[in-house]
Amino acid sequence: MELGLRMGLGDPPADYGSIAAVGLFVALICVCIIVGHLLEESRWMNESITALIIGLGTGGVILMVSGWKHSRILVFSEDLFFIYLLPPIIFNAGFQVKKKQFFRNFMTITLFGAVGTLISFTVISLGALGLISRLNIGSLELGDYLAIGAIFSATDSVCTLQVLNQDDTPLLYSLVFGEGVVNDATSVVLFNAIQNFDLPNFSSIKFLQFIGNFLYLFGTSTFLGVGAGLLSAYIIKKLYFGRHSTDREVSIMMLMAYLSYMLAELLDLSGILTVFFCGIVMSHYTWHNVTESSRVTTKHAFATLSFISETFLFLYVGMDALDIEKWKIVGETYSPMKSIALSSTILLLVLVSRAAFVFPLSLLANLTKKNQAEKISIKQQVIIWWAGLMRGAVSIALAYNKFTRSGHTQLPSNAIMITSTITVVLFSTMVFGLLTKPWIRLLIPARHLNRESSALSDPPSPKSFLETPILNGSDVDPDVGVGIRRPTSLRLLLSSPTRSVHHYWRKFDDAFMRPMFGGRGFVPFVPGSPTERSVPLLQGNDHN
């Protein structure tokens, strides 16, 4: 006992400020979870808005207790966001995605997420040059206006996805969800490219180089994510960690996913794209190579980490919205009307830029689809447009990266850009977010949901444990489980090129990829293992 006391007394003094700050955030996240659960059936509220309101309330209390000096206990760090909070959110998005729906609509998703974001970026940048420059808020350069275009092109569709359901509206969910992830990646890549672009020496050759670098980043980031996912699948399939410890399987999946993100960042690639495709590949191959206990653990562990990260971000944004230092600088330099005019102009540009690509690109996507059930109706187009109006954590992080140093700024033009960004994020998330549930229920009544579900739905990705095994050369659709008479390859290609690609990919997948990397139907056989005892039907499909 005396030794223990001596060791305790000899310990270095703890940083009580940091402990208090982390403790408060943990307590607030618990409150958000409880309140969000109680309001789950609410027609108006969702967890993002709940976290924002609790953050605002906490920020107000801290502001009063500190004598109107500050409203937060942590200074925003871009490293905290991009290194620790964003990876679990994006990885879980890829890990839980319904792959069949995602890749069936991959061209439309890419059209919205990549081409649409570029159109939105162009409209917002030109609008900022034409309108914000007339407000005379300070010495903003061309690079700043382009950065504004990238910052406010980053959407946040969390509110809409919390209302939509993968099983009820599979087409709509896959489009909104897929576009959101590709949009975030495109916005971050655009922002980084603009930061490194030599604007004073602009030329047509440099513009082509800019486009080439952009495509290189997309392709290389995707390839790195796929490679990391396949490597994890091969390692787990060959060594079969679950024979000794489920913890090892879960650990290797988590660490390989995080390693892919960090490698992408070190190589100046898009970590968002890398970890997203790593999640897709892991759910397709790696997840089927582990024991059942590991499947349950990984599914809930990744979802929990993502949920906590999202709640933390919205809590912080709510608290930082009342940061008195930035508002004081803005109040001393600009009139309230100028601040309102700037925020209103940005909101207007967001509304217009979103409509500028959603409706034309939807029309273009519909021209390539012959099946009426796969076409995007006008009501679905309105929901897609609405889903991208909210601005969230990525916009906040990019704005802080551009206009502040260590969470603070002394330049009035930078301060008003930060306060306007916070205003736009709060207004769009709370006002548009509050209207999301009734708006979607109005456009898609409950009686129409089952109709779309029956036509287009498919089983969840890493949620269904016992699925029909995939046999090489079989005409059984693995996601539907029903025998389908397939037309000739040429006829299939002419009538439905997307499904033809899916058909040929599945043949290649069954013949080469699954035997090498594992996956459904190719579970490793180890006598006495949990997989062997609980899934006997899958043993006969091991081709190794």
Side-chain angles (χ1 to χ4, degrees), residues 309-360:
S309 298
E310 285 183 11
T311 306
F312 180 93
L313 285 170
F314 281 106
L315 263 175
Y316 183 87
V317 169
M319 292 174 69
D320 196 55
L322 299 176
D323 180 29
I324 200 71
E325 181 183 330
K326 292 189 283 287
W327 290 103
K328 189 181 292 184
I329 294 172
V330 172
E332 290 173 354
T333 311
Y334 307 103
S335 66
M337 288 305 298
K338 186 160 286 190
S339 295
I340 294 171
L342 178 58
S343 300
S344 301
T345 301
I346 293 172
L347 271 172
L348 177 65
L349 290 174
V350 166
L351 290 164
V352 173
S353 65
R354 185 77 187 162
F357 77 83
V358 168
F359 299 106

Side-chain angles (χ1 to χ4, degrees), residues 35-232:
V35 175
H37 173 72
L38 294 174
L39 296 175
E40 191 173 9
E41 299 302 322
S42 170
R43 185 182 178 188
W44 303 92
M45 297 295 288
N46 58 57
E47 285 163 345
S48 304
I49 298 172
T50 302
L52 270 176
I53 292 174
I54 292 174
L56 281 168
T58 307
V61 172
I62 295 173
L63 194 60
M64 288 187 287
V65 171
S66 66
W68 303 97
K69 292 180 181 178
H70 61 86
S71 67
R72 46 174 168 57
I73 52 177
L74 290 175
V75 175
F76 187 87
S77 168
E78 296 83 22
D79 290 341
L80 172 69
F81 175 73
F82 283 107
I83 296 178
Y84 301 110
L85 297 178
L86 191 60
I89 296 173
I90 302 299
F91 175 80
N92 185 63
F95 193 71
Q96 301 288 356
V97 70
K98 289 189 173 185
K99 297 180 292 297
K100 186 175 180 181
Q101 277 296 328
F102 181 82
F103 286 106
R104 176 184 285 168
N105 302 300
F106 186 73
M107 293 307 296
T108 307
I109 288 170
T110 306
L111 202 61
F112 284 150
V115 179
T117 302
L118 290 173
I119 294 172
S120 177
F121 161 75
T122 304
V123 171
I124 294 175
S125 298
L126 292 175
L129 271 169
L131 298 175
I132 294 178
S133 59
R134 296 184 181 182
L135 295 175
N136 298 320
I137 62 171
S139 55
L140 293 179
E141 300 175 351
L142 177 61
D144 297 321
Y145 291 113
L146 294 177
I148 289 171
I151 289 167
F152 291 104
S153 293
T155 64
D156 182 31
S157 52
V158 172
C159 288
T160 308
L161 290 175
Q162 286 174 353
V163 178
L164 294 174
N165 186 286
Q166 288 197 72
D167 299 314
D168 293 339
T169 54
L171 172 63
L172 192 57
Y173 188 96
S174 67
L175 291 178
V176 172
F177 166 80
E179 187 225 334
V181 176
V182 178
N183 166 274
D184 284 346
T186 307
S187 300
V188 173
V189 170
L190 259 178
F191 182 84
N192 291 334
I194 290 165
Q195 297 288 81
N196 301 323
F197 193 57
D198 188 12
L199 289 170
N201 300 318
F202 180 78
S203 66
S204 57
I205 295 176
K206 290 199 171 183
F207 179 73
L208 291 175
Q209 289 177 343
F210 174 81
I211 298 296
N213 289 336
F214 186 81
L215 296 173
Y216 166 78
L217 281 175
F218 253 81
T220 312
S221 302
T222 302
F223 179 79
L224 179 61
V226 171
L230 291 176
L231 180 61
S232 71

Side-chain angles (χ1 to χ4, degrees), residues 490-520:
L490 180 60
R491 184 179 166 191
L492 183 65
L493 183 63
L494 292 174
S495 62
S496 184
T498 305
R499 289 189 176 180
S500 179
V501 171
H502 176 72
H503 170 66
Y504 286 118
W505 157 250
R506 198 168 67 217
K507 276 192 166 184
F508 173 74
D509 196 26
D510 294 345
F512 177 75
M513 299 296 286
R514 289 180 191 269
M516 177 173 287
F517 297 105
R520 187 173 54 200

